[in-house]
Structures are given as structure tokens and as C-alpha cells.
Amino acid sequence: MQLITIDDIEAAAARIGDRIVRTPLLPCLWASYDVGADRPLWLKPEQLQPIGAFKIRGAANAIGRLPDEVRTRGVVAYSSGNHAQAVAYVARTYGIPATIVVTTNTPGVKVDATRRHGAEVLIVPPEDRESAAEEVVAKGGGTLIPPFDHPDVIAGQGTIGLEIAADLPDVEVVLVPVSGAGLISGVAAAIKAKAPHAKVIGVEPELAGDTAEGFRTGQRPDWSTEDRARTIADGLRSTPSELTFAHVRKFVDDVVTVTEDQIRDAIGLLATRSQVIAEPSGAVTTAAYLHADLPKGKTVAVLSGGNIDPALLAEILMP
Amino acid sequence: MQLITIDDIEAAAARIGDRIVRTPLLPCLWASYDVGADRPLWLKPEQLQPIGAFKIRGAANAIGRLPDEVRTRGVVAYSSGNHAQAVAYVARTYGIPATIVVTTNTPGVKVDATRRHGAEVLIVPPEDRESAAEEVVAKGGGTLIPPFDHPDVIAGQGTIGLEIAADLPDVEVVLVPVSGAGLISGVAAAIKAKAPHAKVIGVEPELAGDTAEGFRTGQRPDWSTEDRARTIADGLRSTPSELTFAHVRKFVDDVVTVTEDQIRDAIGLLATRSQVIAEPSGAVTTAAYLHADLPKGKTVAVLSGGNIDPALLAEILMP
């Protein structure tokens, strides 16, 4: 299987530069003070992207790579989460139509957010999601942009790894959330090329720890959708594809898990001590830094997004 | 009176670069969508600095400018807010002692935060604050670092303006919170040198609108401490000095005010739509963008800090 290369990632960085925020590394003093000087922590704050999550990088690269005459006809995505908004937003920056297929159980606020970027939103029953998107494509509604199972999407997410290596060349540990594993595939490929002494460690909720299990057995995991849906981390309920699992096997050093309570605690600490908003999926890496058995050294935790339900954040912050 | 120059600010930028976060500009889509394409908004997110506020810039420049043999003896500050943490943190990065004088009514969490940076904290009655700090200085405890009334502090804060002009050279409106006016003095001096077509507009809470009044009358304002303390924006209760008011008169185009409700609403919108945490003092510029009568054009709102009481943020976020 063809894995992505550092050239793919560097080309992606040049392609998407005007459409993303170049996020800085944020020194995380409270964590360094608490945990010890031998494990200083930096956050890579991807919630600062225009749609509040890293997904804009992969979407911008995949859409940017389309030939002009193809891109002009528009793009299509099926997603109820950050990928939907990412595709809608990038389409807007190109001035092309976007059709986003969401399911009837998608919260109205997410539907509204997607519409605000100018996308057409189709609402269908959960079981019709993929077929509805394929129908839009078949009718000439544009090119399907997958959320993680595509080399261009993986290369786009990998630009996070390039930036980490550029800003902290002697980084020793990089913590990355794992769901469909598009993010960690790209980040790990970049880190292994640019800072090969660093360990890249995936983090999952224990309740959706399928990739951690697959990493140990060497077999692509096969957990049920219901099992993976038990975690509060709604962005980490997917499972790796053949393509992303091959990247994990090749480039990733370990995959660890955190509990639901650890995730909630990390959200509170990030808000009160670092003044940043993390959605549950984005807080797993800080939870792992605090609770998992990890190598020592300069550590970067990728904070993947900040699209948290305000009521949940309020509940966590209430004294 | 000698005002600071662009050379002072550029020297500050070189001096403090290793100690601060180079914050990016964040496109603020929801605001641009709501308010109109003729007033696109970017946030300058200074809550991402290590101590959660811009104050680290001025402190780093003032401490960095001290001769080595003076700096080694330590630094002293009296403040109950972000300046205390800024001086304590910068002292730690230099490995020098810091003594911070706080008053008996300072919240314990702020005292703890200052101690965590390694500073010695003196707790005294409010009326003894300045004399206690002067006593520390007189006994050889180090150099007093004032919160805003000093050219080196103003030049340090001005690096925010340099970065705005570098990242968005055709910026047309820059919105800056006003308290003691050290921040806006530096930012306005930088913007007028690097992007002279842009308007620099100060923002105050109506309940602490002393500088807005002084700007209209041309006289340095003289509101009572009690009057200025009525606002929820606890970082905006100071009043300009002779030095900072002279900068405001020379470099600032207007000073507008916002209501307490507008500040609270802006905190909620920034959290739920832009995934950023603003303290009340940091949210006034977004409140002004939404509600004040401002010039059209590409607008940057300086979000000065994120050290908000978690209970207040939770209350604002509760559905």
C-alpha cells in the first residue's frame, strides 16, 4: 500500500497556507509545574482554526488538489461533525458549491453552523447517509471529500506535524487523538521525517479504544459502532481504514487510552489554567499527559478542536 | 513629554521574542457573516500568552532592559491582576527573585497562581500596597516594575501592534481595551508607524469610561476609584497616567464605550462561536465591534486576556 510521504505533506503546507491559521505552540505552565521539569508541555491549539478544528487542513488540501474544472462543479461530504463545517468553509473560500449530507439526529446547531458557511444541507435518516451523498455525486453535484480515508486528507492533517517540528525541533513526545486515524497518520509521517527521534503516541478514550487494541494485536480493529459511541468524545468514534491503519503500523510508537473522567478533568484544567476551550476529543491528549504512562521529554499535545456543547463546558466549570 | 517611538517598539520585539507567544490573527467568521462583508473581523488572541494575558510583553521588555547587575537583584510589583503574574513569570524565565505585593482582598486563586511561578507574595491591607512595595525596593529587594506608567512597558505592549501590521498590512480599524492605557499607547504608536491609514479606537466599559470622557474634553480624567470599580471588567478599572494620556491624545482616533450586558454577551459569543476564552476586559473590543458606531473596513479586535472566574464563564454559558 502506498503511504504518504513528506513531499506530499510539504506540498500540502504550501497549498493550504492561505486558508488556515498557522497555530503557535503554547507553553503549558501549570502542567509543567505540576508534572515536573523533565516533561515540559506545549499545546498545539487547532481549535483556533476558522471552524474550530484541525479538519480544515485536510479538506483544504483535498479540495485544493482537485483540477480547476472538477472543483468548479462543487464538493460533497457526509458528516455530522467538524469535517462537514471544514468542507463547507473551504468551498466558500473557493467560491464553489458544497452539499453536506447530515442525518436526522444531527443537532440543529451543527446544521445551522454548516448552513452559515453557505453550504446546502441535506437531512436524511442515518442509514441513508452514504447513499444520499453518492446520489448527489452521481447527479453531478461535485466530488466527494472523505473525512479521513484519503491520501490528500492525510497529507493536509500532516501539516500539523511539520509545524510542530519547525517550532520545536527537539520535541521528544507528540500526543495525537485517534479516531479514523487520518490526523495521526499525517502527523506521524511528518514527525518521523522531520524529528525522527520523537515518539508519536496516539490517544483514545478507553470506551473507543479500538485502535489501541489493534495496535497491540497488529490487526485492524473491528469494534461495533455502538461500542465506539459510548464515549463522550464524539469526534473519536470512527475506526481506522486500511490506509490509515497502515500509517499507524508504520509511523506510530504507541496508542494509549484515557477514561471519561480524565477527559472531563482535562477540559476543566485547559479552560481554567490555559484559557483554551477543548472539545472532549481535543482534551484526550492532555488527559494522557497527566495520567498515562508516557516517555519523558519535551511533549506536544495536539488539541484537535474546541467545538464543545456550551452546556457541557458550563457543567464542568461550575464550582 | 517624550513619547515612545517605533524604534523602541521594534527593539522590544527583538528583546522579548523568546519569552512570549507570537499570537496569530484569528479570522472570526460568525462576526463577519453576521455584521457584513464590509467589516471582516480578526481577533488578536493575547489570552494565549503563558500567563493568559498581554501583560507579559511589557513586563518582559521592562525586565529585559534592566542592566544585568540590577536585574540579578530581582524585581518587585504591586498588582492583584495579570501584571503580577506577568512579572512573576518573566522573573522565573530569567532565574531572578520576584516579590509581588497583593492586598488582603485579592482572591486566593490569584495569590496561588502568582506563587506557582515562584514569586514571593506579600499580602498587605489595600492602603499599604504602594508603601509596602517601596519598602521592599528600599531594602534592596529589586527594581519596581510598574503595570503601565513606564516607557519600557508601553513599548513591550506595542509589539502587539507590530504583529498586527505585519500579519494584516491593510488593516483599517484596530480596537484596543483601555484601562491605564499602556496597551493602547504602545499599539497605537506601532500602528500609526506601520499602518498609518488604520484607525486605532479605544474601548472602555461605560461604567469605567473615564478615558472616553477625557478624550472628548482633552483633559486627563479624574474619576474616583469607586466609580471605576463598578464594571465587571476588573482589568479596566485603572486610569491613564500623564504619560499614557499623552500617547492617547497623539495616536488614538476615538474611544468608545460598551455596556455590561454587551460585555457578557461578547464573552458567550467568543466561547461558543470562536472557541476562545475572554475575560470581561478582553471581550470589550468584540462587544464594541458588534454594538458601537465604528468605521467600516478590515477590523482587528485585541482580545487582551482570558483570566475569567470559571463560575462567571459557566453562568454565561448555561443555556
Side-chain angles (χ1 to χ4, degrees):
Chain A
M1 187 176 300
Q2 180 96 22
L3 305 191
I4 64 158
T5 67
I6 189 66
D7 291 346
D8 297 329
I9 301 171
E10 289 181 330
R15 192 172 292 117
I16 71 178
D18 291 346
R19 288 181 167 76
I20 65 158
V21 170
R22 172 61 165 85
T23 53
L25 290 180
L26 307 180
C28 197
L29 301 184
W30 59 271
S32 304
Y33 292 169
D34 283 359
V35 173
D38 58 351
R39 294 181 61 209
L41 179 68
W42 287 260
L43 302 173
K44 180 68 172 169
E46 288 294 303
Q47 84 283 6
L48 300 179
Q49 296 296 346
I51 58 118
F54 75 97
K55 289 276 184 184
I56 191 172
R57 294 177 184 258
N61 192 48
I63 295 172
R65 282 262 290 164
L66 297 174
D68 285 353
E69 68 277 14
V70 174
R71 186 169 52 232
T72 305
R73 291 199 292 272
V75 289
V76 182
Y78 54 90
S79 160
S80 54
N82 293 329
H83 178 63
Q85 286 196 57
V87 170
Y89 173 68
V90 174
R92 183 188 178 105
T93 68
Y94 274 107
I96 60 171
T99 308
I100 309 294
V101 179
V102 303
T103 56
T104 42
N105 55 0
T106 303
V109 288
K110 294 207 169 182
V111 174
D112 289 346
T114 306
R115 283 208 179 103
R116 287 164 68 90
H117 298 303
E120 185 180 348
V121 177
L122 292 186
I123 304 176
V124 303
E127 62 273 20
D128 296 345
R129 201 169 72 148
E130 296 191 32
S131 62
E134 282 158 14
E135 198 175 321
V136 174
V137 172
K139 285 184 177 163
T143 305
L144 186 70
I145 306 295
F148 59 85
D149 189 24
H150 193 288
D152 296 341
V153 174
I154 295 171
Q157 322 303 26
T159 58
I160 292 171
L162 273 191
E163 293 174 7
I164 292 171
D167 289 353
L168 192 70
D170 55 348
V171 59
E172 292 166 277
V173 182
V174 181
L175 306 175
V176 190
V178 175
S179 181
L183 174 60
I184 196 169
S185 292
V187 170
I191 292 290
K192 292 299 170 180
K194 293 290 182 182
H197 46 275
K199 304 277 184 206
V200 178
I201 297 176
V203 185
E204 288 185 308
E206 202 171 271
L207 294 181
D210 58 335
T211 305
E213 183 190 286
F215 186 83
R216 283 191 299 278
T217 64
Q219 302 298 315
R220 187 157 76 95
D222 185 27
W223 287 27
S224 71
T225 311
E226 291 69 33
D227 275 359
R228 286 184 268 118
R230 292 171 303 166
T231 177
I232 193 178
D234 56 328
L236 302 183
R237 294 171 179 165
S238 292
T239 196
S241 65
E242 294 286 351
L243 178 65
T244 58
F245 193 63
H247 284 81
V248 170
R249 297 257 291 159
K250 167 118 191 226
F251 295 123
V252 172
D253 295 286
D254 200 359
V255 182
V256 301
T257 62
V258 292
T259 68
E260 302 292 297
D261 280 350
Q262 290 167 350
I263 296 171
R264 294 172 67 101
D265 286 352
I267 292 169
L269 286 165
L270 286 165
T272 56
R273 304 282 193 89
S274 278
Q275 295 78 47
V276 296
I277 294 179
E279 60 186 270
S281 309
V284 296
T285 47
T286 299
Y289 170 83
L290 293 171
H291 300 288
D293 186 20
L294 296 174
K296 294 201 193 314
K298 293 184 176 178
T299 303
V300 172
V302 176
L303 197 176
S304 52
N307 291 317
I308 186 172
D309 175 0
L312 172 61
L313 180 56
E315 182 196 311
I316 290 172
L317 291 175
M318 269 295 165
Chain B
M1 188 175 303
Q2 179 96 20
L3 304 191
I4 64 159
T5 66
I6 190 65
D7 291 346
D8 298 328
I9 300 171
E10 288 181 329
R15 191 173 293 118
I16 70 177
D18 291 346
R19 289 181 166 77
I20 65 159
V21 170
R22 171 63 164 84
T23 52
L25 290 180
L26 307 180
C28 197
L29 302 184
W30 59 269
S32 304
Y33 292 169
D34 283 0
V35 174
D38 57 351
R39 294 182 60 209
L41 178 67
W42 286 260
L43 302 173
K44 180 68 172 169
E46 288 294 302
Q47 84 283 6
L48 301 179
Q49 295 297 346
I51 57 117
F54 74 96
K55 289 276 185 184
I56 192 172
R57 294 177 185 258
N61 192 49
I63 295 173
R65 282 262 290 165
L66 297 174
D68 285 351
E69 68 279 12
V70 174
R71 188 170 52 232
T72 305
R73 293 200 290 273
V75 289
V76 183
Y78 53 91
S79 159
S80 54
N82 293 327
H83 178 63
Q85 287 196 57
V87 170
Y89 172 69
V90 173
R92 183 189 178 102
T93 69
Y94 274 108
I96 60 171
T99 307
I100 310 294
V101 179
V102 304
T103 56
T104 41
N105 56 1
T106 302
V109 291
K110 295 207 170 183
V111 174
D112 289 347
T114 305
R115 284 209 179 102
R116 287 164 68 91
H117 298 303
E120 185 179 349
V121 176
L122 293 186
I123 304 177
V124 303
E127 62 274 19
D128 297 343
R129 201 168 73 147
E130 295 190 33
S131 61
E134 281 159 15
E135 198 175 322
V136 174
V137 172
K139 285 184 179 165
T143 306
L144 187 71
I145 307 295
F148 59 86
D149 189 24
H150 194 288
D152 295 340
V153 174
I154 294 171
Q157 321 304 26
T159 58
I160 293 172
L162 273 190
E163 294 174 7
I164 292 170
D167 290 352
L168 192 70
D170 55 348
V171 60
E172 292 167 275
V173 182
V174 181
L175 305 175
V176 189
V178 175
S179 181
L183 174 60
I184 197 169
S185 293
V187 170
I191 291 291
K192 291 300 170 181
K194 294 291 182 180
H197 46 275
K199 304 277 185 205
V200 178
I201 298 176
V203 184
E204 287 186 307
E206 202 172 272
L207 294 182
D210 57 336
T211 305
E213 183 189 285
F215 186 82
R216 284 191 301 275
T217 64
Q219 302 299 314
R220 187 158 77 95
D222 184 26
W223 288 27
S224 71
T225 310
E226 292 68 34
D227 274 359
R228 288 184 268 117
R230 293 172 301 167
T231 176
I232 193 178
D234 55 328
L236 302 184
R237 294 171 179 167
S238 292
T239 196
S241 64
E242 294 286 350
L243 179 64
T244 58
F245 193 65
H247 285 80
V248 169
R249 297 258 291 160
K250 166 116 190 229
F251 296 123
V252 171
D253 296 286
D254 199 0
V255 182
V256 300
T257 61
V258 292
T259 69
E260 301 292 298
D261 281 349
Q262 289 168 350
I263 297 171
R264 295 173 67 101
D265 285 353
I267 292 170
L269 287 165
L270 286 165
T272 56
R273 305 283 191 88
S274 278
Q275 296 78 48
V276 297
I277 294 180
E279 60 185 272
S281 309
V284 296
T285 47
T286 300
Y289 171 83
L290 293 171
H291 301 288
D293 186 20
L294 296 175
K296 293 199 195 315
K298 293 183 177 179
T299 302
V300 172
V302 176
L303 197 176
S304 53
N307 291 318
I308 186 173
D309 176 359
L312 173 60
L313 180 56
E315 181 195 310
I316 290 171
L317 291 176
M318 270 292 166

